[in-house]
Amino acid sequence: MTPEILKWIILLSSIIFLILVNIVANKITNAEFDFYNTLRNDNRDLEKYDLFGFATFTDFLGVPYFFKKFIDSLHSMYKKPAFVFNTYGIISGKTLIHMNRLVNLKGFNIIAGHSLHTPESYPPMPARGNGNEQAPNKREMKNFDNFISEFDGLLNFIKEGKEIKKPIMGNNFLDYILPAYARTHAKQDMGNKYVDDKLCDQCGICKKKCPYGAIELNPIPIFDMNKCYGCWACYNHCPKLAIYTKKFRGIGHYPKPHKNLVEKLRI
Ligand SMILES: Cc1cc2nc3c(=O)[nH]c(=O)nc-3n(C[C@H](O)[C@H](O)[C@H](O)COP(=O)(O)O)c2cc1C
Ligand code: SF4
Ligand code: SF4
């Protein structure tokens, strides 16, 4: 028996995805969506879903470590269809390929994958004037739209109980040849973090946003450098711009999707 409406869950961790998946949801009519923030760590019953989406951003040419750990922690879902999706600022690298492998290892049947070029959330880039604020360009948007249409077609196949033999995958040549960048460089590149105690109002947002549990408030943030991965989430999300490094202070923050991107995705 195949369901009339597919129950679909998207497991996500990134700034843009709640907007993105709402757009996709509007374009796709034969599936009901739920979202699951992989950082929230609640015990949602995943067994009831027919279709799974895994969505994250490129982190040093690969999958963010906390997202990899999240996929590792899932029980096997035995042949449930799944798609993988990522955003990237310059080069997606191995992200989609690694997501594909991780999700496959859990027994999912990958039916589609796509990478979307979006503005840079890695603060050193916008701080140096390389924020890619215009991404995605027209061609990339068209590719994204085509992907959504093809994907919609696949959903009909699934509803009819047919097996998808060949996934729709949008990798480019560079993705295959580039290695993932060693994650240890990220922490080195960021260096020590400091807090301006005149700006910090001890709101705790940085602690909440840290994917690696590396921040304690005492009463201003203290960083545990053994746990820190140099992901810049605390820097990006501090509303007072109180967190700074040796090289970057008060510049390059990306706490929410760029307005150009939001406008483009509303079309
Ligand atoms: C710590 C960190 C590392 C990143 N590494 C890369 C990278 O290797 N390649 C890339 O193209 N973008 C990289 N980015 C940029 C993001 O992948 C990109 O801006 C993405 O579109 C952000 O998606 P979001 O707004 O949905 O979170 C990195 C961002 C961060 C914060
Ligand atoms: S988010 Fe900023 S203002 Fe809030 S506690 Fe952290 S450093 Fe202080
Ligand atoms: S950079 Fe900030 S948010 Fe990221 S792991 Fe380190 S302390 Fe946590």
Side-chain angles (χ1 to χ4, degrees), residues 60-229:
F60 281 70
L61 301 181
V63 182
Y65 181 62
F66 68 90
F67 202 75
K68 177 189 175 307
K69 265 181 67 178
F70 169 75
I71 300 179
D72 284 346
S73 74
L74 288 178
H75 297 298
S76 293
M77 291 291 166
Y78 306 116
K79 290 269 171 201
K80 292 249 172 115
F83 71 94
V84 288
F85 198 106
N86 76 291
T87 51
Y88 66 96
I90 303 176
I91 297 173
S92 184
K94 288 280 185 287
T95 318
L96 212 54
I97 295 167
H98 285 176
M99 285 177 91
N100 199 342
R101 189 188 307 148
L102 291 166
V103 170
N104 241 316
L105 275 173
K106 285 288 158 181
F108 290 94
N109 179 24
I110 303 271
I111 58 166
H114 192 78
S115 306
L116 182 67
H117 192 191
T118 64
E120 267 290 343
S121 62
Y122 183 57
M125 297 298 282
R128 294 183 179 119
N130 302 319
N132 295 330
E133 286 87 0
Q134 298 309 322
N137 64 26
K138 275 195 178 146
R139 181 182 50 79
E140 290 160 342
M141 267 313 281
K142 195 162 174 260
N143 286 344
F144 175 59
D145 281 342
N146 289 343
F147 168 74
I148 300 298
S149 311
E150 281 187 72
F151 187 65
D152 205 13
L154 283 189
L155 292 185
N156 279 328
F157 261 68
I158 295 173
K159 277 175 69 178
E160 288 162 15
K162 294 181 185 155
E163 199 182 334
I164 311 291
K165 298 234 168 73
K166 195 167 181 292
I168 312 171
M169 273 291 166
N171 291 115
N172 70 41
F173 177 63
L174 271 181
D175 296 341
Y176 285 98
I177 56 171
L178 280 172
Y181 198 53
R183 219 41 203 82
T184 43
H185 288 301
K187 195 154 98 176
Q188 272 165 26
D189 283 356
M190 189 180 196
N192 284 338
K193 287 168 286 303
Y194 309 93
V195 179
D196 184 333
D197 57 6
K198 288 190 203 72
L199 293 178
C200 175
D201 64 3
Q202 301 157 25
C203 68
I205 290 175
C206 50
K207 178 176 157 79
K208 227 162 92 187
K209 292 285 179 184
C210 176
Y212 300 103
I215 300 180
E216 286 305 328
L217 294 183
N218 186 25
I220 66 166
I222 299 174
F223 306 98
D224 181 340
M225 288 310 279
N226 290 322
K227 291 184 181 168
C228 174
Y229 266 75

Side-chain angles (χ1 to χ4, degrees), residues 8-76:
W8 185 350
I9 188 156
I10 303 195
L11 307 116
L12 56 96
S13 73
S14 100
I15 297 172
I16 189 66
F17 276 115
L18 269 182
I19 296 180
L20 211 54
V21 288
N22 271 316
I23 290 155
V24 176
N26 281 338
K27 290 188 178 177
I28 292 176
T29 48
N30 52 12
E32 278 177 7
F33 288 81
D34 275 335
F35 304 120
Y36 179 99
N37 182 345
T38 56
L39 288 177
R40 222 175 34 210
N41 243 343
D42 52 5
N43 290 323
R44 187 172 290 208
D45 170 22
L46 296 179
E47 296 283 345
K48 67 180 182 190
Y49 293 97
D50 307 305
L51 179 62
F52 286 72
F54 293 85
T56 192
F57 64 96
T58 294
D59 183 348
F60 281 70
L61 301 181
V63 182
Y65 181 62
F66 68 90
F67 202 75
K68 177 189 175 307
K69 265 181 67 178
F70 169 75
I71 300 179
D72 284 346
S73 74
L74 288 178
H75 297 298
S76 293

